[in-house]
Each structure stands twice: as structure tokens, then as C-alpha cells.
Amino acid sequence: LDYSIFDAKRAGFGKVVFVIRKDFAEAFQSINNSERFGLPVDYVYQGLDSLPDGFSVPEGRVKPWGTCHALLMAKDAINEPFAAINADDFYGKEAYEVMAKHLTECYGKTGAYSMVAYELKNTLSDFGSVSRGVCTQDENHYLKTIVERTSIVKTEQGAAYSDESGSHPLDLNTLVSMNFFGFTPDFFDYSEKGFVEFLKGPAQTSIKAEFFIPLMVNKAINEGHAKLKVLSSDAVWFGVTYKEDKPDVMRKIRTLTDNGKYPNKLW
């Protein structure tokens, strides 16, 4: 989180909105605030009961509603083109630079979405399966499809994902989304309507169903509501999916610091 905000700030982003749970809000806000980061900071809250009028939490539901639901919580705090990230991923300085450049060209537009893509081989864990949005793009680098694959593992041949029909191979050079998206504000109204459809459909058949960002991105593209530019950079992603990943992440950050990419103390 600290490195993400540091990279975003020096790339030109001017505001931070945290989507958190209310049960740890006081402790979180005492540390992560505008005084520390030198940027305006806002906080919004995601809860199971954050639902449109007429809907209630299904009996037995304990799982959060998913990444796109979390993003919807920020609707009233954002009025300009914006980036959405996972707070527990390290995306790299160059990723924020290319995203910031693209977003500055999107003011006054609608349906102008974007995404920083990474090669699958650079996003896998040695310690278990991962979830990734598997992408295809056209010759002009606009997204054609993005499909959330929730059980991707390393194999002797490279990688594979599993679903209800079995195991399927994946090329290690496949482009994947790591939930680093850029949106124009119309995404909020579009997703609100999509969330109602989700609550009437998949949420009725499974108490574990999630409302993912890629679900709405695919829908927007297929319906002609938006186009999404696939952005590339020299950025290297890494993150902690399993506790065993932590030492490697610490080593990589130390190497970047030793090479002068980051100061020893960010703030």
C-alpha cells in the first residue's frame, strides 16, 4: 500500500480513496491519512449490507461481494478519471506512470477504460493457486475479452487453470489483469445497474458468488458501452498471495531500494 501510494503520487495522481471495512476504520485511518502521504485522502466502507434498496444479505452469506462491489462504494468520492488497484499488490513505478498519462487524456470522455497488463509467468506463486483475469486484445491493443480464472497453478509444462470441467493449459506469456484498471466516472452508474442484475441472478444461486470488475468490463465492451486500452510498461508485479511469498517480496523491495528506485523511508 505504501509503495503504491508513493508511486502514484510521483506519477501525478492527486487523491487517494481507500475502500475499507468499518470494523478497523479507526486504526487504519490513524496511520493512513493525508498528513502522512501529503495527498487528500478519503475513506469509504464496504460491508455485506451495502446493497441497493430492496435487497438483503442472503442467509449464510459471509463472503464479501467482490472487487466491483468494493469499487462501487467509492462512487460519491470520485468525479474524475481514476485508477483502481489492489492494496496488497506491488505494481511498479512504470505502471503508475503509463496509467497516469492515459488518464490525463480521458477527461470529459465516457467509456474510456484502461488496464495495465502483465505476463502470466511473472504473476504466479510457488506456493499455491492464484486468481487472474486472462485477457485477449486486438491489433490496436484494445481488450477483446477478460475472463476471471480462479485456480491457476504452475505445472511442468508451464501453467494451467482448473474449472468444473477439469484442468486446462495456459501459455506463460498470456496477458493477465492484476486489477490495475483505469476508468472514467460513468463506470459507476454502469456498474450499479450491473450489480442489481448480479443480485437477481448469480447471487441467488450461490452464496459465494462475487461481483468482479472483469465481469463488468466484459459486459461494457460486449454491449459497446466502452473500449478498454491495454497498457504495457516495463513494470514488474509481485505480491503476497501466501505467507510463504513474503520473504521473496521483501527481497525484491530491498533490491529496488538498494538500486536507488525507492528511499529507505518513504514518508
Side-chain angles (χ1 to χ4, degrees), residues 86-113:
N86 292 337
D88 57 352
D89 287 357
F90 184 99
Y91 292 102
K93 171 179 176 285
E94 299 84 359
Y96 291 91
E97 291 172 343
V98 71
M99 178 61 77
K101 182 178 184 299
H102 178 80
L103 290 177
T104 59
E105 301 168 356
C106 294
Y107 277 84
K109 297 181 180 179
T110 60
Y113 303 166

Side-chain angles (χ1 to χ4, degrees), residues 94-95 98 115-118 137 141 175 229-235:
E94 299 84 359
V98 71
M115 177 193 76
V116 178
Y118 296 82
Q137 62 178 331
H141 303 292
L175 288 180
K229 189 75 170 181
V230 179
L231 307 175
S232 60
S233 74
D234 295 328

Side-chain angles (χ1 to χ4, degrees), residues 10 22 61 69 201 250:
R10 61 178 171 174
K22 282 187 177 179
R61 176 89 193 196
H69 177 254
M250 294 175 67

Side-chain angles (χ1 to χ4, degrees), residues 6-213:
F6 185 85
D7 284 335
K9 182 179 179 180
R10 61 178 171 174
F13 285 86
K15 176 181 177 181
V16 180
V17 178
F18 291 110
V19 183
I20 59 176
R21 299 196 318 269
K22 282 187 177 179
D23 59 325
F24 63 75
E26 184 176 353
F28 184 90
Q29 293 172 23
S30 69
I31 298 170
N32 301 291
N33 49 56
S34 58
E35 289 78 14
R36 183 183 190 207
F37 301 130
L39 284 173
V41 172
D42 205 346
Y43 311 90
V44 298
Y45 307 101
Q46 182 189 25
L48 276 179
D49 58 351
S50 302
L51 296 171
D53 291 341
F55 292 93
S56 58
V57 180
E59 184 178 354
R61 176 89 193 196
V62 295
K63 193 175 183 66
W65 290 108
T67 51
C68 200
H69 177 254
L71 195 53
L72 274 175
M73 300 303 99
K75 178 183 178 181
D76 293 336
I78 298 174
N79 301 297
E80 54 275 296
F82 66 97
I85 65 167
N86 292 337
D88 57 352
D89 287 357
F90 184 99
Y91 292 102
K93 171 179 176 285
E94 299 84 359
Y96 291 91
E97 291 172 343
V98 71
M99 178 61 77
K101 182 178 184 299
H102 178 80
L103 290 177
T104 59
E105 301 168 356
C106 294
Y107 277 84
K109 297 181 180 179
T110 60
Y113 303 166
S114 55
M115 177 193 76
V116 178
Y118 296 82
E119 291 185 341
L120 176 63
K121 62 187 176 186
N122 295 325
T123 74
L124 297 173
S125 172
D126 291 325
F127 304 104
S129 65
V130 298
S131 297
R132 301 289 181 255
V134 176
C135 305
T136 59
Q137 62 178 331
D138 66 19
E139 64 276 8
N140 296 313
H141 303 292
Y142 282 98
L143 188 72
K144 293 170 65 178
T145 62
I146 177 169
V147 180
E148 191 78 12
R149 300 299 185 190
T150 56
S151 299
I152 303 176
V153 296
K154 289 184 176 180
T155 66
E156 290 184 2
Q157 292 74 34
Y161 72 90
S162 299
D163 60 18
E164 59 277 0
S165 64
S167 179
H168 312 274
L170 271 176
D171 191 302
L172 287 173
N173 295 319
T174 298
L175 288 180
V176 297
S177 159
M178 301 306 299
N179 271 348
F180 191 162
F181 287 99
F183 294 111
T184 42
D186 58 279
F187 184 75
F188 290 120
D189 288 336
Y190 187 78
S191 295
E192 278 189 328
K193 297 173 184 175
F195 189 45
V196 170
E197 294 176 9
F198 169 84
L199 291 171
K200 291 179 178 179
Q204 296 293 320
T205 58
S206 172
I207 60 173
K208 294 184 177 180
E210 291 188 64
F211 186 55
F212 291 118
I213 292 173

